[in-house]
Amino acid sequence: MTVTWEELGWERLADGVGRCRLPGWDCTAGLVLGADAALMVDAGSSLDEGARLREGARRLAGRRVTHLALTHPHFDHVFGAAAFPDAEVYGAYGAAGTGALFAPGGQGRQALRADAVAEGLDARAAREAAEALVPVLHEVRGEHALDLGGGRRVLLADVGPGHTGHDLAVLVPGSPNVLFCGDLVEESGAPQAGPDAVPSRWPAALDRLLAVGGDDALYVPGHGTVVDAGFVRAQRDALAARFGVSR
C-alpha cells in the first residue's frame, strides 16, 4: 500500500524530496529518494527519534536509508545517527575530528551529551546517543556529488564555517532546487551562535549558500518553515550587522 508524505507527518517539497519537522527543538530532517538509494539529511536528537525517521523513510522509499548527511555536529542533528547503521555517513571537512566527536569516550561526545541534557533531553537518552555515535566516513571538502539513481543527483557542499566550524549544505537540483541549509539558516527564531560558531565568516557562508541554491530555490532551514532566497539574504545582512562584519 502506497503511503504519502503527509500521512506520515512529513512535508513534501518536490518530487521525491521531503522533510520532517521534529518535536521538541523543531529540528528539520530531510529525505531524498532516488531509484537506487535514499539520502537522509540529519538524524534527529535521540536514538528513538532516529528510529522513527528511519521507519518513515523505509515506508516512503520502500528501502533502507543508504546515505546520511549530517549538516553540522550538534546533538539535535546527530544524536539519532546510530539508528542508520548501514548508511554511508557524510559531513563537512574536519567534522570527524571535531573535539574527538566520533571517538569512543572523546571529549566532543561528552560536550554534546552535556549540551543535550542542558537543553532538556533525558539524561539516559543523551548518554545512549553519545555512546552510540557513528563515525563520519566521508568528509566533504568543497563539493561532492551523490548519484541516487534514476537521474537523481545530489550535491553536498562544504559551505562553512559559520554556525559551526563544519557546516554542510545539501542541494537537490530540480524545478525548483531544494537546498537543506542546516542551522546556517533559521526561521523559527534568531540564528543561534554558540561557542563553536565562527561569526566573522557566517555571512560569507550564506553567500555560498545563495550561490549554490540560486534565486528560485527552496531553502530549508535547520529550524522553521521553508524560506526563499530573499529571506536568506536578509538573514545574512542581519548577521553581518549583529557580528560587526563589513560587507
Side-chain angles (χ1 to χ4, degrees), residues 157-232:
D158 178 10
V159 295
H163 175 66
T164 71
H166 312 283
D167 294 304
L168 186 74
V170 179
L171 173 70
V172 188
S175 299
N177 290 339
V178 177
L179 185 61
F180 292 94
C181 306
D183 287 2
L184 283 169
V185 178
E186 296 194 43
E187 184 278 333
S188 55
Q192 298 300 299
D196 58 343
V198 187
S200 64
R201 298 179 67 180
W202 199 333
L206 294 186
D207 283 332
R208 288 189 287 276
L209 270 183
L210 289 162
V212 169
D215 284 344
D216 299 324
L218 300 178
Y219 289 84
V220 186
H223 303 265
T225 61
V226 175
V227 300
D228 61 13
F231 181 95
V232 177

